[in-house]
Amino acid sequence: MVSNLPSAADIVSILKTQQIKHVRLFDANHQMLGALANTGIDVMLGVPNDQLLRIGNSRSEAADWINKNVAAFVPETNITYIAVGNEILTSIPNAALVLVPAMQFLQSALVASNLNSQVKVSSPLSMDMIPKSFPPSTATFNSSWNSVMSQYLLFLKNTGSPLMVNAQPYYGYIKGQGIYPLEYALFQPLNPNNQIVDPNTNFYYTNMFDAMVDAAYYSMQSLNFTGIPVIVTASGWPSQGGANESDATVDNALIYNSNLVHRVLNNSGTPSQPTTAVSTYIYELFNEDLRPGPVSEKNWGIFFSNETAVYSLSFGNQAVSKPDPTGLVGVFCVANPSADSNALKKGLDWACGPGEANCTAILPGEPCYDASNLVALASYAYNDYYHRMKASGGTCSFGNTAMISSTNPSHGSCIFAGSSGPSNSTDSSSAFGPSISYGVSQKLQLLCLALILQIVLCYLFDI
């Protein structure tokens, strides 16, 4: 639901630039399928909800769909999954009786084309199919769908296909109405006094995402099915919301998706399935300006439709380390390279002065000093301030000269707060504490530091 979607070639260019190796298409757009040829990108291909009845009622229609949309594009386009509909049982329950027949007909057509070993068939479910997902160990599917779900799971078991689930902690957090802390939804560390434990298994759940995935596993077990892996076919966080959607922010979206990328790339399982990794598709690539409903529904994208980033998220293979105690590993507040230099200078002066950032590392002779690069100097100061003050209300704005990024600006021995390595900050223990109260000598040091920076910048810009 985008008013001006980029061309297929431009979209594939974005995927390549971002090192995205797997993509889910909600329909069989032939331009996209052609543009994805010979790219090495794995494709999950969707059967739109409005085509389900036709395919589920006709074996020949299913065969025609496979011939036109799958067989005609492989092997050049690497189609690996077919997602039959999206959240069918909760969005269009009247189509429930044709869901499994549609899957079976499509599977038969794949067998006839000798593609069944390469392409697996499943259907994404909403977490609304599990009315009570916590504690995970007691989770079950909505009992009114037990007959359909048993047929569905039997199909998955017989064909070696995964259970597809759209797991959105944002909705779980909002619907919880304060039951869960925001940190639990964002993969951030929990207060030691607020640990979340399944009382039946004694499994500790450090994040809502893992609890949702385990709820899906336990729901399958309640119908006597095991050995079916779970793939999360949609998970993300909105970057903007309306007046009553205060948790839909750019900061939270970047924190959630950055932590999700780290979580998935470490190839670990969930508490109940520790050896089974959780493949996940981030929802979604573009904001959907035409989507109805609350403001947040239009703003789940990583990119605007004009191809500029809503925020900078890294999809590449990232080194995984122990979680940063601030919960903001991989999140950086950096200067916008296109910002006015005078505005950047003001932001830098404020960060190192009244903002009380630790700017020692950008003094002459220190590892982050670069007299020819105002953006780099401001980025270090902005980021140090952000990591120190985020918990007590600090933001990444600086007169609109700053932006959130997941690309680590550290280089050599210049280490930014939020990196997985040690920080240059001399007071890292207070980075997420309350606002710091400085003594007279410390204030004088900060004042001198600000003056030194001003002198350096005046020299740099011939002021």
Side-chain angles (χ1 to χ4, degrees), residues 314-339:
S314 174
F315 297 89
N317 290 328
Q318 301 177 17
V320 177
S321 60
K322 293 181 179 180
D324 184 277
T326 66
L328 282 175
V329 149
V331 178
F332 305 94
C333 176
V334 297
N336 188 333
S338 63

Side-chain angles (χ1 to χ4, degrees), residues 267-296:
N267 289 321
S268 64
T270 59
S272 80
Q273 308 289 325
T275 62
T276 305
V278 186
S279 294
T280 303
Y281 291 80
I282 293 180
Y283 180 83
E284 58 186 329
L285 195 59
F286 295 106
N287 277 346
E288 296 187 81
D289 59 305
L290 301 180
R291 181 172 287 280
V295 174
S296 62

Side-chain angles (χ1 to χ4, degrees), residues 170 173-174 180-188 190 208 237 246-247 252 390:
Y170 173 76
Y173 170 72
I174 296 301
Y180 302 107
L182 180 61
E183 292 81 2
Y184 179 60
L186 294 176
F187 296 92
Q188 293 181 306
L190 297 175
M208 189 180 293
W237 198 278
S246 59
D247 296 299
N252 286 345
K390 176 72 168 67

Side-chain angles (χ1 to χ4, degrees), residues 8 12 29-39 73 76-77:
V12 170
N29 182 294
H30 284 194
Q31 288 183 323
M32 276 302 306
L33 289 171
L36 286 163
N38 303 308
T39 60
F73 291 94
E76 289 80 11
T77 302

Side-chain angles (χ1 to χ4, degrees), residues 325-456:
T326 66
L328 282 175
V329 149
V331 178
F332 305 94
C333 176
V334 297
N336 188 333
S338 63
D340 176 75
S341 60
N342 288 326
L344 280 176
K345 180 181 174 296
K346 289 180 181 178
L348 175 59
D349 290 346
W350 186 90
C352 294
E356 300 182 344
N358 181 2
C359 297
T360 304
I362 54 176
L363 289 175
E366 297 300 327
C368 299
Y369 173 69
D370 185 349
S372 64
N373 194 335
L374 175 61
V375 171
L377 295 173
S379 291
Y380 187 90
Y382 288 2
N383 187 68
D384 189 87
Y385 167 84
Y386 181 68
H387 276 259
R388 287 172 178 275
M389 301 302 181
K390 176 72 168 67
S392 53
T395 63
C396 181
S397 177
F398 300 94
N400 295 320
T401 64
M403 55 191 254
I404 293 291
S405 172
S406 66
T407 300
N408 190 343
S410 301
H411 52 91
S413 58
C414 177
I415 307 301
F416 276 57
S419 304
S420 57
S423 171
N424 279 341
S425 174
T426 59
D427 189 19
S428 59
S429 62
S430 64
F432 245 55
S435 190
I436 306 164
S437 176
Y438 283 88
V440 174
S441 64
Q442 290 170 304
K443 287 181 178 177
L444 286 173
Q445 288 174 348
L446 284 169
L447 177 60
C448 292
L449 176 61
L451 288 172
I452 291 171
L453 283 169
Q454 284 180 334
I455 292 170
V456 169

Side-chain angles (χ1 to χ4, degrees), residues 24 26 46-56 82-103 106 122-129 142 144-145 148-149 152 164-166 233:
R24 176 184 174 192
F26 279 87
V47 176
N49 288 359
D50 59 8
Q51 297 181 24
L52 185 69
L53 286 173
R54 178 167 55 84
I55 292 173
I82 295 176
V84 184
N86 185 57
E87 303 184 351
I88 292 294
L89 299 182
T90 49
S91 61
I92 46 173
N94 291 339
L97 295 180
V98 297
L99 175 59
V100 175
M103 296 168 65
L106 291 168
S122 187
S123 181
L125 302 178
S126 165
M127 280 301 297
D128 289 340
M129 277 293 296
N142 186 327
S144 62
W145 298 115
V148 173
M149 284 305 302
Y152 168 73
M164 295 179 174
V165 177
N166 297 337
T233 39

